[in-house]
């Protein structure tokens, strides 16, 4: 029997408990061991709950329990999650977590401790919820050089953009609807400003290339500037607007970004709508591989956590090697990254055409029936060149890159 403790009995923690309880027989058969939740850490009491009898309020009770072999962290946030996870690993206990903030900030350090103590730090659920991506990146695609990763990594923003596209609803209305349905948090900043997707692409990029990528170093742009006019222009272009987390190998460096992007029907991620997520990985041998599914949700995420618990249970005293050290991966300077841009400027075509040509060179106009502005698509240019042109024009309303 394998004894485990769960840190946090919120949405994901209670989901982990439920999956382990309801699927206990098949989990035991596939693991070769019965897995028992011995204790659950939470500040709250849960009178009448099926787990009421194993709730503890002090981490020391878990830390001092020598029978605990695996710790599951579903608290979220950095502190005290970091301190609890580090203490558990240092005692030789494997840790499974869904905490993307923790993994993005302390991944290399915690992996190093796990290696030294011959246990495991596993985090499948930290990216993509129920979508298996971490383990395939570490094993199935291991023979390949990863050339590119591009993903719709946040269900909240994908839902908002889908509703705006399909129903013509404005951003603020859809956001309130998403909050009412539980797709968006009361404070949706991390989702709509791209921070959530940024942490996820930082984790995936670090794993793909074996070196640390700090999410603070990744250019990040949210969806708050996207309007119904942008959506209508996208339709004129035969495209949809999605927000992507992406990284791409360029020589010995990697470019990384989180930003809204235009995709046409030929793009593999064009049809990924609603709260679903998808991640496209391009290997130099395997080519394009797409992972698709529910990127969030109680049981989908909990299932990914339990898969890690099972993996840890199968490898007692054996560290599963993960190549991710604390050496900083060299990123391509943002100004040197290249894109093709869709751009809207205020004023008529007659007022803008000559000035736009002077700054951007040859462009392709896009007409969506708005007389008070001029829209166009540029050729492939660097971010630095775009910024200079934007500053000189001075009347740009919005811009969206092509993915």
């Amino acid at each position: 029997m394998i004894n485990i403790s769960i840190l946090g009995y919120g949405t994901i923690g209670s989901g982990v408990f439920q999956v382990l309880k309801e699927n206990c027989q098949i989990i035991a058969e596939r693991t070769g061991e019965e897995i028992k939740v011995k204790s659950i850490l939470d500040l709250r009491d849960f009178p009448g709950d099926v787990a009421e009898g194993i709730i503890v309020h002090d981490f020391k009770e878990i830390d001092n329990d020598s029978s605990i072999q695996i710790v599951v962290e579903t608290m979220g946030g950095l502190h005290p999650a970091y301190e609890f996870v580090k203490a558990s690993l240092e005692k030789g206990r494997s840790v499974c977590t869904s905490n993307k903030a923790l993994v993005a900030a302390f991944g290399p350090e915690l992996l190093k401790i796990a290696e030294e103590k011959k246990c495991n730090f596993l985090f499948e659920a930290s990216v993509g919820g129920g979508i298996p991506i971490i383990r395939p990146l570490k094993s199935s695609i291991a023979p390949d050089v990863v050339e590119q990763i591009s993903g719709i990594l946040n269900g909240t923003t994908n839902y908002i953009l889908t509703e705006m596209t399909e129903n013509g609803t404005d951003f603020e209305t859809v956001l309130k609807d998403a909050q009412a349905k539980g797709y968006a948090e009361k404070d949706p900043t991390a989702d709509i400003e791209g921070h959530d997707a940024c942490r996820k692409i930082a984790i995936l990029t670090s794993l793909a290339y074996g070196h640390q990528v700090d999410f603070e170093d990744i250019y990040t742009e949210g969806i708050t500037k996207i309007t119904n006019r942008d959506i209508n222009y996208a339709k004129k272009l035969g495209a949809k607007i999605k927000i992507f987390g992406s990284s791409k190998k360029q020589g010995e460096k990697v470019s990384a970004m989180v930003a809204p992007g235009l995709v046409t029907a030929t793009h593999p991620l064009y049809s990924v709508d609603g709260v679903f997520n998808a991640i496209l990985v391009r290997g130099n041998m395997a080519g394009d591989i797409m992972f698709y599914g529910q990127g969030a949700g109680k049981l989908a995420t909990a299932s990914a956590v339990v898969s890690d618990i099972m993996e840890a249970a199968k490898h007692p005293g054996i560290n599963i090697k993960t190549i991710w050290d604390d050496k900083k991966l060299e990123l391509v300077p943002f100004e040197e990254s290249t894109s093709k841009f869709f751009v809207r400027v205020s004023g008529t075509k007659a007022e803008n055409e000559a000035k736009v040509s002077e700054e951007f060179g040859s462009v392709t106009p896009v007409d969506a029936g708005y007389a008070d502005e001029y829209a166009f698509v540029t050729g492939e240019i660097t971010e630095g060149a775009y910024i200079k042109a934007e500053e000189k024009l001075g009347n740009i309303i919005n811009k969206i890159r092509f993915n």
Side-chain angles (χ1 to χ4, degrees):
M1 179 182 292
I2 304 289
N3 287 323
I4 77 169
S5 285
I6 300 173
L7 310 183
Y9 197 56
T11 301
I12 307 305
S14 61
V16 170
F17 185 80
Q18 181 180 342
V19 172
L20 288 170
K21 187 172 184 295
E22 293 187 11
N23 286 4
C24 59
Q25 185 174 343
I26 195 169
I27 289 169
E29 289 173 359
R30 292 175 177 175
T31 306
E33 292 276 3
E34 180 185 348
I35 295 175
K36 177 186 176 182
V37 181
K38 189 173 181 186
S39 54
I40 298 173
L41 177 71
D42 205 288
L43 295 175
R44 302 162 292 175
D45 291 307
F46 295 86
D49 190 277
V50 65
E52 178 184 8
I54 56 173
I55 298 289
V56 300
H57 303 301
D58 190 341
F59 175 70
K60 289 180 181 178
E61 292 189 48
I62 294 169
D63 196 38
N64 295 330
D65 186 344
S66 60
S67 72
I68 300 298
Q69 293 151 281
I70 299 172
V71 172
V72 180
E73 188 277 308
T74 59
M75 302 167 65
L78 290 180
H79 305 287
Y82 165 72
E83 288 76 14
F84 293 170
V85 167
K86 184 177 180 181
S88 299
L89 291 170
E90 287 177 337
K91 287 203 168 181
R93 293 169 177 159
S94 288
V95 173
C96 308
T97 183
S98 58
N99 189 338
K100 58 187 164 288
L102 176 74
V103 177
F106 298 108
E109 177 189 354
L110 298 173
L111 284 166
K112 186 176 181 181
I113 296 170
E115 185 176 7
E116 291 171 351
K117 298 295 181 179
K118 294 182 171 59
C119 57
N120 288 289
F121 178 57
L122 302 171
F123 42 91
E124 182 63 65
S126 66
V127 177
I131 304 172
I133 180 62
I134 301 296
R135 201 169 290 120
L137 201 56
K138 289 166 54 178
S139 57
S140 304
I141 314 173
D144 283 46
V145 174
V146 175
E147 296 178 337
Q148 186 173 354
I149 301 171
S150 184
I152 297 170
L153 300 172
N154 183 275
T156 300
T157 49
N158 201 39
Y159 174 80
I160 290 171
L161 292 172
T162 299
E163 288 295 303
M164 290 176 71
T165 299
E166 294 184 352
N167 301 317
T169 318
D170 66 271
F171 175 83
E172 291 297 336
T173 301
V174 181
L175 176 57
K176 289 177 182 176
D177 171 58
Q179 289 171 318
K181 290 178 177 176
Y183 298 152
E185 300 288 342
K186 186 177 180 180
D187 180 359
T189 305
D191 293 325
I192 64 176
E193 294 295 354
H195 306 316
D196 175 80
C198 182
R199 284 179 170 86
K200 292 172 181 176
I201 197 63
I203 292 169
L204 293 176
T205 306
S206 297
L207 285 172
Y209 303 108
H211 302 303
Q212 173 69 5
V213 176
D214 292 338
F215 65 88
E216 298 96 336
D217 294 337
I218 296 175
Y219 175 83
T220 302
E221 190 179 306
I223 65 167
T224 55
K225 293 181 181 178
I226 303 297
T227 67
N228 292 98
R229 286 198 177 191
D230 294 308
I231 299 292
N232 290 335
Y233 278 113
K235 290 178 180 178
K236 284 287 182 182
L237 290 163
K240 290 181 182 178
I241 301 172
K242 306 285 186 183
I243 180 168
F244 294 92
S246 57
S247 60
K248 185 176 183 180
K249 189 169 177 61
Q250 294 183 218
E252 295 303 311
K253 299 179 183 179
V254 173
S255 62
M257 180 183 296
V258 174
L262 286 155
V263 286
T264 60
T266 58
H267 195 286
L269 302 182
Y270 175 85
S271 299
V272 179
D273 291 325
V275 295
F276 282 85
N277 284 187
I279 303 160
L280 182 69
V281 180
R282 180 172 297 155
N284 70 328
M285 297 298 169
D288 287 350
I289 306 171
M290 191 166 89
F291 302 85
Y292 171 84
Q294 292 189 51
K298 177 176 179 174
L299 295 180
T301 305
S303 176
V305 176
V306 173
S307 76
D308 277 347
I309 296 171
M310 295 169 68
E311 190 76 1
K314 291 176 185 176
H315 296 87
I318 301 171
N319 176 258
I320 304 166
K321 182 72 173 177
T322 298
I323 300 174
W324 177 3
D325 60 38
D326 58 6
K327 178 185 175 183
K328 293 284 288 289
L329 182 69
E330 190 171 2
L331 296 177
V332 174
F334 174 70
E335 293 78 9
E336 295 177 14
S337 299
T338 60
S339 292
K340 187 168 73 168
F341 294 84
F342 162 73
V343 185
R344 294 166 52 207
V345 297
S346 60
T348 65
K349 179 179 180 179
E351 292 170 336
N352 284 288
E353 195 168 24
K355 290 187 292 184
V356 165
S357 294
E358 184 179 345
E359 300 304 332
F360 285 102
S362 178
V363 300
T364 304
V366 185
D367 185 3
Y370 302 114
D372 59 341
E373 61 181 67
Y374 175 53
F376 56 93
V377 175
T378 72
E380 191 87 7
I381 59 174
T382 66
E383 294 285 343
Y386 171 83
I387 291 168
K388 287 180 181 177
E390 181 182 68
E391 289 172 350
K392 287 183 179 179
L393 282 176
N395 64 335
I396 288 180
I397 301 168
N398 200 11
K399 54 88 172 52
I400 305 171
R401 300 165 183 84
F402 277 81
N403 242 57

